[in-house]
Amino acid sequence: MKPLTQENQGDSATGHSSQSILVGGYGRAGKSAVRLARQLGCNVIVFESNLAIDLPGDLSVIRDENELADLIVDVDKVIVSPGIEPTHGLFSDPSKVQSEMAFARERITSPIIAITGTNGKTTVSTLLAEMAERSGSSVRALGNIGTPLSEAVGSNLDLIVLEASSFQLAYTSNLAPIQAAILNFAPDHLDWHGSIEHYLASKMRIVEGMDDDAQVWISNFSPEVSGSLDAIGRSYRQILGEGGDIFENELIVLGRSIGPISDLKRQFNHDLTNFLFAGAIAASFGCDYDAIRSTCLEFEGLAHRMQYVGSFGGYQVFDDSKATTPDAVICDMESLQDVVLIAGGKNKGLDLSVLAILAPKLRGVVAIGESASDIEGAFVGHDLSVVRAFSMADAVEGAFGMAQMGDSIVLSPGCTSWDWYSSYVERGLDFQSSIKKSARLRGLI
């Protein structure tokens, strides 16, 4: 399936439509969907139950979920925002449900490279977009990275790098990317998906509509992904070996050296994997190797993703607030030793006991948030200190109290932030502020 063109896409961004569209949720994706639907001449109705969210006075709005059943019978399409659970009344007729991403895709003419996975999506998308831009391409990184795909309708880009979450993919079947990557797979969002099978099936929708010869890149260590692709007869390339390699001190992408690993500003194992994915996809797209090389060498990482906060009196501090699954924590701790770990928050229905595998690396654990008791339980029987804290400031104090000179203090929660904070960003900023305040009081800075 080729990208849609003005001739075959039906109603274009400047055309008209008599469709009646119900948009569920008026957050970032919902606003973009409303704007696009109105440009198309659709009759738009918005459902938003959060009374704190102001909506334009010229919009038709319903606030009561009880009104949805009759309304959904009459509308042509229901566009749902990511995160609204499938048990919601908006999903009463699944045949009408579509994501904002799918709605926009029908009207996008630019080629798309789509990225998904449990961890690393934003980093790889950022790297790939930078590599393409440095190679002279007009490119935007869209989707789960922060800007809805609808914002690119009507543009004429050389490339769209699309970060796709499982929420978005669950109700998207028409991406038809020219390349796709499934970076890894581990249990996540089971409170939303209901089962790991549904979560995996949602991820696999990224390959629907692709040409047979379009490349799909996967990890060498995700048997669930390779097995699912084998089952549907979809070919793929594994990133280690086929995409690149790590040979002694060299990072190799499609047979060419990117440079010494010691020259990279980010050298954790997961960083190297992210470089390989982004580099292999970029090289396959036709990006310049100098652009790939410079992007990797200059990349300092993204905020709250094993972000180096600093050295405070011999203690190394990292903010990994974005790690919201146990698998992410385990992956991010791989290159560290002698760690005081701050973990916990609002669980997503995941098994936190698997964190026990980290015990040999840890000096101690500070458990926080709603899942603090589960974090404590994960380390029962292991010879390390585990304490509970009831604020981030207390957690940081507890971590400094456990740490020895040369140790690392890492916030890597394995859970969402929604018990104490509005986002992982807010949580990470509070951690950094608390670290610096505590370090000053201790005379470490």
Side-chain angles (χ1 to χ4, degrees):
M1 177 176 174
K2 301 294 185 183
L4 299 170
T5 65
Q6 292 290 336
E7 288 74 28
N8 69 11
Q9 67 181 331
D11 41 80
S12 70
T14 57
H16 296 280
S17 171
S18 59
Q19 282 192 324
S20 181
I21 304 290
L22 172 60
V23 177
Y26 199 66
R28 187 177 295 165
K31 289 178 181 177
S32 288
V34 167
R35 186 161 47 247
L36 176 56
R38 287 180 131 188
Q39 290 173 357
L40 295 169
C42 299
N43 175 35
V44 181
I45 305 166
V46 173
F47 170 80
E48 178 53 74
S49 59
N50 187 348
L51 298 178
I53 296 179
D54 293 326
L55 290 97
D58 60 344
L59 270 180
S60 297
V61 180
I62 59 172
R63 299 278 193 177
D64 187 349
E65 188 174 343
N66 293 323
E67 299 178 30
L68 287 175
D70 291 339
L71 179 60
I72 288 173
V73 172
D74 295 327
V75 300
D76 297 298
K77 190 172 293 186
V78 181
I79 301 173
V80 291
S81 296
I84 297 179
E85 297 189 2
T87 54
H88 195 279
L90 286 163
F91 295 84
S92 61
D93 185 351
S95 68
K96 293 184 178 181
V97 175
Q98 193 175 49
S99 68
E100 172 274 333
M101 183 176 287
F103 183 57
R105 180 64 183 97
E106 295 170 355
R107 296 153 182 93
I108 293 287
T109 60
S110 302
I112 289 175
I113 294 177
I115 311 292
T116 196
T118 303
N119 302 306
K121 298 184 295 294
T122 302
T123 298
V124 172
S125 297
T126 300
L127 287 165
L128 177 56
E130 180 68 17
M131 291 169 181
E133 184 173 5
R134 291 188 182 201
S135 297
S137 297
S138 59
V139 58
R140 292 187 71 182
L142 302 172
N144 194 59
I145 200 168
T147 303
L149 183 59
S150 296
E151 300 301 310
V153 172
S155 62
N156 185 25
L157 297 164
D158 295 325
L159 177 65
I160 292 172
V161 177
L162 187 67
E163 180 188 337
S165 73
S166 61
F167 299 155
Q168 294 162 323
L169 287 170
Y171 294 93
T172 301
S173 59
N174 60 340
L175 280 186
I178 60 170
Q179 289 192 67
I182 306 169
L183 307 178
N184 42 55
F185 182 81
D188 197 6
H189 303 300
L190 299 190
D191 53 344
W192 192 94
H193 287 280
S195 69
I196 195 168
E197 290 79 14
H198 187 269
Y199 176 53
L200 178 59
S202 297
K203 289 291 189 186
M204 291 303 104
R205 301 195 81 168
I206 197 170
V207 304
E208 292 184 8
M210 293 183 74
D211 286 345
D212 291 340
D213 58 352
Q215 293 183 350
V216 178
W217 298 92
I218 71 168
S219 166
N220 298 60
F221 310 106
S222 296
E224 304 91 344
V225 173
S226 58
S228 295
L229 294 172
D230 287 338
I232 62 174
R234 174 75 239 186
S235 62
Y236 53 85
R237 301 181 74 183
Q238 293 184 321
I239 194 62
L240 281 175
E242 294 179 276
D245 212 339
I246 299 164
F247 181 71
E248 295 181 349
N249 189 40
E250 292 290 311
L251 187 68
I252 311 295
V253 171
L254 292 184
R256 296 181 62 174
S257 175
I258 295 303
I261 293 172
S262 57
D263 288 350
L264 297 169
K265 295 180 180 179
R266 299 281 302 191
Q267 299 177 19
F268 290 118
N269 290 339
H270 63 272
D271 293 316
L272 301 182
T273 300
N274 290 338
F275 290 143
L276 288 178
F277 266 110
I281 297 167
S284 298
F285 180 69
C287 291
D288 183 82
Y289 265 89
D290 287 338
I292 296 171
R293 183 178 296 108
S294 63
T295 299
C296 293
L297 290 172
E298 296 173 21
F299 185 66
E300 296 182 349
L302 302 179
H304 315 297
R305 294 162 174 83
M306 282 303 287
Q307 178 183 356
Y308 182 59
V309 179
S311 177
F312 301 88
Y315 305 102
Q316 307 299 311
V317 178
F318 296 88
D319 170 7
D320 195 30
S321 182
K322 182 64 169 65
T324 60
T325 68
D327 183 72
V329 178
I330 293 167
C331 176
D332 293 350
M333 293 297 106
E334 188 175 0
S335 301
L336 294 179
Q337 196 68 37
D338 299 324
V339 175
V340 176
L341 174 67
I342 301 175
K346 184 176 179 62
N347 195 4
K348 296 183 280 187
L350 307 179
D351 179 11
L352 299 179
S353 68
V354 299
L355 292 173
I357 197 173
L358 294 174
K361 292 177 169 287
L362 302 180
R363 180 81 62 192
V365 177
V366 182
I368 62 173
E370 287 183 7
S371 62
S373 61
D374 292 329
I375 297 294
E376 290 175 321
F379 296 99
V380 169
H382 294 275
D383 186 22
L384 72 163
S385 298
V386 182
V387 300
R388 186 182 297 203
F390 297 92
S391 70
M392 187 61 75
D394 288 343
V396 166
E397 281 294 301
F400 270 122
M402 288 183 191
Q404 298 180 17
M405 196 66 62
D407 286 356
S408 296
I409 296 174
V410 183
L411 170 68
S412 192
C415 299
T416 71
S417 60
W418 301 327
D419 49 352
W420 287 3
Y421 303 96
S422 63
S423 69
Y424 74 85
V425 174
E426 184 183 353
R427 176 170 62 189
L429 292 175
D430 190 24
F431 170 70
Q432 294 188 33
S433 174
S434 297
I435 281 286
K436 292 169 184 175
K437 181 177 180 180
S438 183
R440 280 194 295 270
L441 290 174
R442 293 168 177 270
L444 301 177
I445 55 176

